[in-house]
């Protein structure tokens, strides 16, 4: 016998369930007076640097029906490409931009809206620049382990073409599943959980 | 906005791969709503980039005085929630066994009768006027956390014709990188419903299920006040960066 590696196992995930709002967006589901506001509901203020954009996201099941009980979190760099995180060692991020947001999908329409800024480019492991992107984390009833994916931007064609992560997608037909369509100042993005148009999800 | 949890330099090594045999898979047909909500194509695997290695940090300033006291944070002045009064405590660790300080934990649950304060919950058990069901805290220097609440009741749900969820508390945990983000559920030692539940049953490994069962902890009880349960949460560990990306040597 060799020595024990003496490591723990990660706590197994479980679904967030249909009432995830109680814990993560209590004001949204009518539980007022406990928290002043829902965490992550406002990402920008008057001082935040960068181009204001709106993300209009839906999550669709295997029949194409929008999920009305999903919750999405996003994580992104600031306009200069710096993350507001202690693990960001390249410089200080915009103090008026946490870089993280959280929104439920609307209980009637399934639409999820974020008001944020367009992120700058950040480097891949080898120093090459990745295209501007926003990391998405999606939880809901019926999803056993939160799904990670990325949102890229349709008006960043050149950067997208040289993005090392997009380049890793073997089936090139699937690349557009990660690219949000620009309509004015809004980017429209449908996440397909399953089926022909299934979004590329990450194991990273 | 950000506040560091300790004086040590932040770690920036990539996180250990997730063991997806240990976690429940996406498609667990016994849990019916997973059938149309599970990706069928393979995931795209890659080593963490800075986008996954970084993550938001929340300062203690955001916390209200009663945020970690579900017995009182929704109750009228001088009143409290009905049910078995308990303390839930534990540590947030990573797979190396190190405490993970400064991370935000959020929890939500049904009341003592198994009823959620949510308009989509139509269960006939009544709401408790003094119970909201949400709480949060930030782990201390060693990853320690605690909150007080009432023990939630089991409740029926439309899956099989007679399925009941075991008593459980939902947990949401941030790590130090967004790739550690985790939502799970805590169950209670000795509950016979645990082993009948299709959501629990999505986890195939018995030891993995047991990792979600909190132990009765008599040493942490407060006599004549509250029982206690201990629930440790383990997040992904991470590699050392000492030997990474330095072809010229350290």
């Amino acid at each position: 016998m060799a020595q024990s590696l003496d490591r723990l196992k990660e706590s197994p995930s479980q679904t967030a369930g249909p009432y995830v709002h109680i814990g993560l967006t209590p004001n949204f589901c009518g539980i007022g007076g406990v928290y002043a506001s829902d965490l992550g509901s406002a990402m920008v203020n008057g001082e935040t640097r960068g181009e204001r954009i709106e993300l209009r996201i839906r999550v669709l099941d295997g029949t194409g029906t929008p999920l009305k009980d999903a919750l999405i979190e996003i994580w992104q760099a600031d306009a200069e490409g710096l993350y507001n995180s202690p693990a960001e060692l390249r410089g200080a991020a915009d103090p008026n931009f946490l870089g993280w947001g959280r929104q439920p999908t609307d209980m009637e329409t399934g639409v999820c809206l974020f008001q944020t800024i367009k992120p700058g480019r950040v480097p891949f492991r080898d120093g090459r620049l990745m295209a501007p992107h926003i990391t998405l984390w999606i939880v809901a009833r019926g999803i056993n382990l939160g799904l990670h994916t990325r949102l890229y931007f349709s008006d960043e064609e050149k950067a997208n073409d040289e993005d090392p992560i997009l380049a890793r997608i073997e089936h090139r037909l699937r690349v557009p599943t990660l690219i949000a369509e620009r309509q004015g100042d809004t980017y429209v993005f449908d996440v397909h959980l399953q089926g022909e148009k299934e979004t590329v999800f990450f194991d990273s | 906005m950000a506040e560091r949890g300790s004086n040590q330099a932040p770690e920036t090594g990539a996180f250990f791969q997730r063991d997806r045999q240990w976690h429940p898979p996406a498609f667990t047909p016994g849990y019916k709503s997973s059938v149309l909500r599970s990706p069928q194509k393979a995931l795209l695997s890659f080593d963490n980039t800075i986008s996954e290695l970084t993550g938001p940090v929340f300062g203690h300033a955001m916390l209200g005085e009663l945020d970690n006291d579900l017995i009182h944070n929704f109750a009228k002045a001088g009143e409290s929630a009905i049910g078995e009064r308990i303390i839930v405590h534990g540590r947030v660790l990573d797979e190396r066994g190190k405490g993970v300080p400064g991370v935000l934990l959020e929890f939500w649950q049904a009341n003592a009768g198994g009823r959620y304060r949510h308009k989509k919950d139509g269960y006939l058990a009544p709401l408790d006027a003094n119970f909201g069901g949400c709480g949060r805290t930030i782990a201390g220097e060693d990853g320690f956390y605690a909150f007080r609440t009432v023990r939630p009741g089991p409740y029926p749900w439309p899956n099989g014709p007679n399925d009941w969820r075991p008593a459980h508390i939902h947990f949401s945990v941030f790590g130090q990188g967004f790739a550690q983000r985790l939502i799970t559920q805590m169950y209670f030692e000795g509950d016979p419903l645990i082993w009948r539940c299709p959501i629990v049953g999505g986890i195939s490994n018995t030891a993995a299920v047991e990792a979600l069962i909190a132990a009765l902890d008599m040493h942490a009880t407060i006599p004549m006040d509250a029982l206690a349960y201990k629930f440790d949460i383990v997040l992904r560990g991470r590699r050392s960066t000492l030997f990474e990306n330095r072809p010229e040597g350290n």
Side-chain angles (χ1 to χ4, degrees):
Chain A
M1 289 279 280
Q3 292 186 2
S4 164
L5 292 173
D6 205 20
R7 298 217 174 95
L8 304 173
K9 294 292 285 184
E10 188 186 7
S11 295
S13 173
Q14 292 272 266
T15 179
Y19 310 129
V20 59
H21 314 106
I22 294 173
L24 303 191
T25 54
N27 291 287
F28 167 79
C29 75
I31 302 176
V34 181
Y35 308 148
S37 63
D38 288 338
L39 198 61
S41 56
M43 294 182 68
V44 292
N45 62 34
E47 308 297 308
T48 309
R49 297 192 291 266
E51 180 193 354
R52 296 319 193 251
I53 59 168
E54 177 183 75
L55 309 179
R56 186 180 181 86
I57 305 175
R58 297 188 305 167
V59 183
L60 306 150
D61 73 12
T63 70
T65 306
L67 272 58
K68 294 165 184 169
D69 53 10
L71 181 122
I72 303 175
E73 290 184 5
I74 64 174
W75 173 240
Q76 63 168 101
D78 69 7
E80 314 296 324
L82 292 168
Y83 282 103
N84 193 336
S85 167
E88 172 62 85
L89 304 179
R90 297 170 298 145
D94 182 349
N96 288 296
F97 189 63
L98 179 61
W100 173 84
R102 172 191 278 167
Q103 293 289 343
T105 56
D106 184 272
M107 288 193 205
E108 305 298 326
T109 63
V111 172
C112 180
L113 296 173
F114 289 91
Q115 311 298 332
T116 185
I117 52 129
K118 199 165 176 193
R121 297 179 74 171
V122 300
F124 186 59
R125 296 184 69 81
D126 60 9
R128 281 181 292 163
L129 287 179
M130 296 192 278
H133 64 271
I134 293 177
T135 297
L136 267 63
W137 181 73
I138 301 164
V139 294
R141 172 175 67 94
I143 295 177
N144 286 320
L145 174 60
L147 295 167
H148 279 269
T149 187
R150 283 186 184 182
L151 180 156
Y152 288 83
F153 301 90
S154 64
D155 56 337
E156 295 286 344
E157 223 167 313
K158 185 177 169 294
N160 292 341
D161 283 346
E162 59 193 34
D163 183 81
I165 298 297
L166 293 177
R168 290 280 294 275
I169 300 173
E170 178 189 352
H171 301 100
R172 304 309 294 164
L173 281 170
R174 302 193 65 204
V175 173
T177 70
L178 298 184
I179 298 175
E181 173 72 24
R182 180 156 200 160
Q183 297 178 1
D185 292 331
T186 297
Y187 289 88
V188 178
F189 191 59
D190 277 352
V191 176
H192 293 265
L193 295 179
Q194 192 182 88
E196 259 178 61
K197 292 185 275 187
E198 185 174 310
T199 298
V200 175
F201 295 105
F202 296 172
D203 178 20
S204 174
Chain B
M1 238 180 261
E3 174 183 290
R4 283 187 186 176
S6 93
N7 293 325
Q8 291 172 340
E11 292 188 280
T12 55
F15 295 106
F16 299 159
Q17 288 168 261
R18 272 207 158 118
D19 180 353
R20 290 177 181 269
Q21 309 295 316
W22 178 259
H23 285 284
F27 179 73
T28 50
Y31 173 27
K32 291 182 181 177
S33 50
S34 76
V35 172
L36 285 168
R37 293 180 170 200
S38 44
Q40 296 169 331
K41 295 182 166 64
L43 302 176
L44 181 71
S45 297
F46 55 92
D47 205 7
N48 298 155
T49 72
I50 191 167
S51 303
E52 294 79 35
L53 291 170
T54 52
V57 173
F58 303 94
H60 287 82
M62 68 175 271
L63 297 178
E65 202 183 334
L66 293 177
D67 280 7
N68 68 342
D69 183 352
L70 283 70
I71 294 177
H72 297 107
N73 69 10
F74 191 78
K76 291 184 268 300
E79 300 187 17
S80 56
I82 293 170
E84 294 179 37
R85 297 159 63 86
I86 60 171
I87 291 162
V88 178
H89 75 97
R91 288 178 73 202
V92 182
L93 305 158
D94 77 9
E95 291 171 292
R96 300 168 300 176
K98 296 176 68 160
V100 188
V103 300
L104 176 68
L105 297 110
E106 297 161 286
F107 2 89
W108 68 101
Q109 62 169 92
N111 69 22
R115 176 72 184 271
Y116 282 97
R117 188 171 286 280
H118 193 286
K119 62 176 139 188
K120 295 282 176 67
D121 186 358
Y123 182 34
L124 50 77
L127 289 169
D128 175 347
N130 288 312
F131 188 73
C134 59
R136 61 187 178 187
T137 190
I138 291 177
E141 276 293 300
D142 49 4
F144 185 82
Y145 77 92
F147 62 98
R148 55 196 292 160
T149 186
V150 294
R151 178 172 165 141
Y155 64 87
W157 58 301
N159 186 64
N162 190 22
D163 279 341
W164 291 73
R165 295 301 326 281
H168 63 276
I169 299 175
H170 296 265
F171 275 73
S172 161
V173 192
F174 285 81
Q176 294 174 327
F178 205 53
Q180 287 177 303
R181 194 79 181 80
L182 184 71
I183 278 184
T184 189
Q185 301 183 28
M186 177 196 116
Y187 304 100
F188 291 83
E189 181 177 5
D191 185 344
L193 290 170
I194 294 171
W195 306 99
R196 295 172 179 266
C197 174
I199 289 178
V200 176
I203 301 172
S204 57
N205 187 309
T206 303
V209 173
E210 286 168 343
L212 296 182
I213 302 176
L216 176 67
D217 182 359
M218 289 305 291
H219 289 329
T221 59
I222 305 176
M224 306 303 288
D225 179 346
L227 281 172
Y229 286 86
K230 177 172 176 285
F231 185 60
D232 286 343
I233 297 161
V234 182
L235 303 177
R236 296 169 70 176
R238 64 197 316 167
R239 302 200 302 257
S240 158
T241 48
L242 289 176
F243 300 100
E244 291 201 19
N245 296 332
R246 294 194 189 177
E248 75 282 11
N250 279 288

